[in-house]
Amino acid sequence: MRFFNTAGPVNCQDHYCLPPLQRFDLDTVMSLIGQKKYFLLHAPRQTGKTSCLLALMTHLNQGDVYRALYANIEAAQAVREDVTAGITAVVQTIAERAPE
């Protein structure tokens, strides 16, 4: 039985949700990625940013061209006055999430 999720990323199999890849212009995002450009996903809290990025990661990983991973780097925020510790936290988080 599906339900409304109020804590963390949405899983469309378990939760009521809007299709994440339809919430933004996927063709434009793919074009930017193909041109090796960056884009910004900016929205208020709890509006589906993480769910959209996770869906984009899955979409990219289904093909043969890209390998994407999602890494939450909020751990660096706790040490924001220590650049070395912040960078270390980011690198460790990415390394932990990267497939072998």
Side-chain angles (χ1 to χ4, degrees), residues 12-83:
C12 291
Q13 301 297 323
D14 298 332
H15 309 129
Y16 293 111
C17 69
L18 298 172
L21 292 179
Q22 294 178 14
R23 298 189 64 205
F24 57 89
D25 187 345
L26 182 59
D27 290 337
T28 298
V29 170
M30 293 303 294
S31 176
L32 291 169
I33 292 170
Q35 295 172 48
K36 299 181 181 179
K37 294 184 177 182
Y38 68 91
F39 61 93
L40 180 69
L41 182 58
H42 177 74
R45 292 179 67 243
Q46 297 183 325
T47 55
K49 296 179 298 292
T50 300
S51 298
C52 287
L53 287 175
L54 290 171
L56 179 60
M57 176 191 71
T58 300
H59 177 76
L60 291 168
N61 287 339
Q62 287 175 345
D64 295 335
V65 178
Y66 301 107
R67 285 295 156 250
L69 65 88
Y70 176 84
N72 184 332
I73 57 172
E74 289 182 34
Q77 190 173 17
V79 292
R80 68 180 74 174
E81 301 301 322
D82 185 345
V83 173

